[in-house]
Structures are given as structure tokens and as C-alpha cells.
């Protein structure tokens, strides 16, 4: 059974950093591209970043370019999202997702709240 | 950036009723994907490659469309179908989602 479990969220001040993790199991992690998708409170879904199966390619939405870094450790079956210079508009639930036929599998999400 | 506009934003349907949700793209896209999300839960893949049902999706659901105009149809509404549905494209980054259509039970 495919499982994606996010962790690392919490309450953080604007301008600070946070690193999210997504532990994957139930499939060969290194065979799949992975992504982060976020959802602000009571809002819709927004793609954040994607990383290729081997980490050689990364893609970001404009609003996070230069502030967020997606990475992966295939030996640990773990996806990461390093978030720097956080802004109030980054407040959201962050989901990791496995790419396949679309965003094929989703984690349960982790909440990131920006507050001074 | 390709903008996806869903309509209606909210719709209420009675059991047995036919429901159609539209998704219009600002530029032509190759395929549209649909996701279902219920309150407090993660989104679930629902329809992929415009018209293929994801695993476990009842066949009362269907998807169609091409170019800039796509739709998701429920042939006969059931209680469990009440949820928010999002469309999404893969035609180049940024991969964007529609704003969502909340389907309520009447």
C-alpha cells in the first residue's frame, strides 16, 4: 500500500525557515517524480514544486522560486521541502504527492502557519 | 500561465439528479485531470487523461472535453458524491488547478 506521511509543519514567524519531510513507503520511491501541493485555509489547491525521479530536475511556482527548495533522498525514500524567507501567504496545508497519472497518491498533509 | 475556470462555483443536487461541472482553460490543454476532496481529507485522483476513471471511482462519473473546454458529469447524483471537485492541467508548468466546484446535497 502506498503511503506518504508528511511532517515538519508548525507555527513560524514571517522571514524564518521551515523544512518539511515526506516519508514514502509501499513503492519504489526512486522510480517516481514527486511534488508538493498546498492549500491555504478554505482555499483551493496550488502546485508548489516538483522534483524528477532522480533529483536532476526541479520545478517551482513563481511565488516560491528562490525561497523554497525541493529535494529527495532516494536511499531514505524521503522527499523534502526547505522553505526559507517565509511569508504570511505561505500559510497552508502542504501535501506531498506521487506523480503518475496526475497527482496519483497524496499524503495526509501538514499545516504550516505563519504568525508573528 | 494557464488559468482554469470552473463553473459553477457551488451547486446543489438531489439524489438521482444529473450534474455537470465545467472547466474552461485560458489556453488549449492536452488533457484535464479531476480530483475529489471532502472536508478534512486529502484530495483524491478522480478522472485522468480527461475521461479515464481512477481506481474505485463509480462509473456514474464521466469526463469529456478537448482544447479549452472540459467537463465532469455525474449521471445520477448519490449522497456520497457531495464534495469539492478540482480540475487540473499538465500542459507545462506551472501546473494549475481550477478554483473548485463545491457539490452539495439538496
Amino acid at each position: 500500500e502506498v503511503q506518504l506521511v508528511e511532517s515538519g509543519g508548525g507555527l513560524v514567524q514571517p522571514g524564518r525557515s521551515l523544512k518539511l519531510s515526506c516519508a514514502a513507503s509501499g513503492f519504489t520511491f526512486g522510480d517516481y517524480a514527486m511534488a508538493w501541493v498546498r492549500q491555504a485555509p478554505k482555499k483551493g489547491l496550488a502546485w508548489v514544486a516538483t522534483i524528477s525521479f532522480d533529483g536532476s530536475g526541479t520545478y517551482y511556482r513563481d511565488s516560491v522560486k528562490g525561497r523554497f527548495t525541493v529535494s529527495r533522498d532516494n536511499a531514505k525514500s524521503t522527499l523534502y521541502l526547505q522553505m526559507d524567507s517565509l511569508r504570511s501567504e505561505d500559510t497552508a496545508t502542504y501535501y506531498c504527492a506521487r506523480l503518475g497519472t496526475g497527482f496519483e497518491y497524496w499524503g495526509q498533509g501538514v499545516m504550516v502557519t505563519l504568525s508573528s | 500561465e494557464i488559468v482554469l475556470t470552473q463553473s459553477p462555483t457551488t451547486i446543489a443536487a438531489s439524489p438521482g439528479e444529473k450534474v455537470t461541472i465545467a472547466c474552461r482553460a485560458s489556453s488549449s490543454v492536452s488533457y484535464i485531470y479531476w480530483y475529489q476532496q471532502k472536508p478534512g481529507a486529502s484530495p483524491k485522483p478522480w478522472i485522468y487523461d480527461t475521461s479515464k476513471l481512477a481506481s474505485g471511482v463509480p462509473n456514474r462519473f464521466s469526463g469529456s472535453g478537448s482544447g479549452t473546454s472540459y467537463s465532469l458529469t455525474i449521471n445520477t447524483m448519490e449522497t456520497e458524491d457531495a464534495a469539492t471537485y478540482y480540475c487540473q492541467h499538465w500542459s507545462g508548468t506551472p501546473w494549475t488547478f481550477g478554483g473548485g466546484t463545491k457539490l452539495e446535497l439538496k
Side-chain angles (χ1 to χ4, degrees):
Chain A
E1 178 195 3
V2 172
Q3 283 200 316
L4 300 170
V5 180
E6 302 94 337
S7 61
L11 180 65
V12 62
Q13 292 179 325
R16 304 296 290 264
S17 298
L18 204 60
K19 187 172 185 176
L20 305 182
S21 299
C22 171
S25 61
F27 65 101
T28 304
F29 183 71
D31 284 352
Y32 291 88
M34 299 292 294
W36 290 96
V37 177
R38 70 185 180 185
Q39 186 170 33
K42 300 196 181 301
K43 298 293 185 183
L45 301 169
W47 167 74
V48 174
T50 293
I51 186 167
S52 62
F53 71 100
D54 60 357
S56 63
T58 56
Y59 313 88
Y60 301 91
R61 67 182 297 112
D62 283 350
S63 62
V64 308
K65 275 180 191 173
R67 300 189 299 122
F68 289 12
T69 304
V70 60
S71 62
R72 63 190 299 159
D73 185 334
N74 285 350
K76 295 183 177 179
S77 296
T78 303
L79 175 72
Y80 302 101
L81 185 67
Q82 175 68 43
M83 304 186 293
D84 298 322
S85 303
L86 282 161
R87 304 169 180 168
S88 58
E89 57 264 34
D90 296 320
T91 293
T93 296
Y94 285 74
Y95 297 99
C96 73
R98 192 187 90 174
L99 270 62
T101 49
F103 296 109
E104 203 170 33
Y105 291 92
W106 297 65
Q108 85 287 353
V110 63
M111 186 69 199
V112 173
T113 303
L114 277 292
S115 177
S116 54
Chain B
E1 172 175 325
I2 296 175
V3 176
L4 299 179
T5 303
Q6 289 184 232
S7 60
T9 305
T10 306
I11 184 170
S14 302
E17 198 174 331
K18 185 174 183 177
V19 177
T20 298
I21 298 169
C23 177
R24 179 153 292 180
S26 59
S27 300
S28 182
V29 297
S30 302
Y31 297 101
I32 279 290
Y33 290 66
W34 293 91
Y35 301 85
Q36 181 199 65
Q37 187 178 34
K38 294 191 176 182
S42 304
K44 293 181 179 179
W46 214 246
I47 294 174
Y48 66 97
D49 290 353
T50 299
S51 60
K52 299 174 184 175
L53 302 184
S55 177
V57 175
N59 61 13
R60 60 181 177 273
F61 284 85
S62 64
S64 64
S66 65
T68 61
S69 185
Y70 294 83
S71 63
L72 176 156
T73 298
I74 307 172
N75 206 34
T76 50
M77 171 77 177
E78 295 203 7
T79 304
E80 65 190 34
D81 300 336
T84 300
Y85 294 86
Y86 294 93
C87 60
Q88 179 249 329
H89 80 85
W90 291 95
S91 295
T93 56
W95 300 325
T96 55
F97 292 84
T101 294
K102 186 175 183 179
L103 173 58
E104 299 173 329
L105 197 62
K106 192 186 290 182

